[in-house]
Amino acid sequence: MELSYLGILLIIASFAVGWFISYIKSRFEVRKYKKELKEFQEHLNRQMKITGEGSKNLELDLEKLKKENENLRISVKTLGQKPGRAEVRLLNIYDGALRKMMLNAPGFSGAWEASLQEAEREYEENEKGFKSIIKKVFSPSLAHNTEPKKIEQQKEGFN
């Protein structure tokens, strides 16, 4: 097999054409990858900006809530130190202790607690206004009819 001058030129030309086609193909791929990389960078920058703004807003909200919490804590402490507040607190503590003691003690305390709860319920109804409206509207008729019956029932209960 003998290589002629023309054969060598064809081989060199085919290598040159192959190299040129490969070079052009690689340029298109490089351009495509650069475009894709640029899109990824833009997306990443956009995401980082959104995340940065979100975390910045969260930090501002957190600072605002911390200040508000501190103001509320100071307000609660100030209201707790107003004159008479300590006495009301102590009264509530004593009231709770007295109720527990009455429920646990035998005898009179059960009846006392029941009547106390009934009186509280009536007081709450009066505060709401429903019972006071009924008393105002129906007071003359109910007062005259029910009071003698109650007095008679109480007299019969004692006899």
Side-chain angles (χ1 to χ4, degrees):
M1 177 167 199
E2 198 176 305
L3 288 177
S4 66
Y5 179 70
L6 186 59
I8 294 175
L9 279 178
L10 284 174
I11 292 174
I12 291 174
S14 66
F15 275 125
V17 170
W19 178 80
F20 182 72
I21 292 172
S22 171
Y23 178 76
I24 290 179
K25 183 181 175 189
S26 69
R27 282 286 142 209
F28 281 125
E29 286 183 17
V30 166
R31 187 177 296 149
K32 181 179 100 176
Y33 290 137
K34 281 185 179 181
K35 184 179 177 185
E36 192 176 321
L37 184 62
K38 186 177 179 183
E39 288 175 1
F40 284 146
Q41 286 176 337
E42 288 174 359
H43 178 71
L44 181 62
N45 286 336
R46 214 174 17 252
Q47 286 299 107
M48 288 176 61
K49 184 186 277 187
I50 291 170
T51 305
E53 288 174 3
S55 63
K56 188 177 182 181
N57 288 340
L58 285 176
E59 287 176 4
L60 291 174
D61 287 346
L62 180 64
E63 285 298 318
K64 179 182 168 188
L65 290 174
K66 282 182 180 179
K67 286 179 184 177
E68 191 174 320
N69 186 23
E70 183 65 22
N71 290 340
L72 289 174
R73 188 186 64 77
I74 291 170
S75 297
V76 166
K77 195 159 208 129
T78 303
L79 289 174
Q81 293 176 351
K82 279 189 171 181
R85 197 56 127 165
E87 290 82 8
V88 170
R89 181 180 177 274
L90 187 61
L91 180 65
N92 286 331
I93 291 171
Y94 285 165
D95 182 53
L98 183 64
R99 286 174 183 252
K100 287 178 186 175
M101 182 187 75
M102 285 186 177
L103 285 175
N104 293 330
F108 172 74
S109 63
W112 169 253
E113 188 63 28
S115 62
L116 182 64
Q117 288 176 356
E118 183 180 340
E120 284 178 350
R121 196 172 36 254
E122 287 177 4
Y123 183 78
E124 288 174 4
E125 287 175 359
N126 285 335
E127 279 185 342
K128 291 178 184 174
F130 181 69
K131 195 167 187 178
S132 63
I133 291 172
I134 291 176
K135 281 184 179 180
K136 287 178 184 175
V137 173
F138 298 108
S139 180
S141 63
L142 287 178
H144 295 296
N145 291 337
T146 57
E147 286 183 16
K149 289 181 184 176
K150 283 186 181 179
I151 294 171
E152 288 176 20
Q153 288 175 354
Q154 288 176 356
K155 288 180 183 177
E156 290 174 6
F158 287 116
N159 293 331

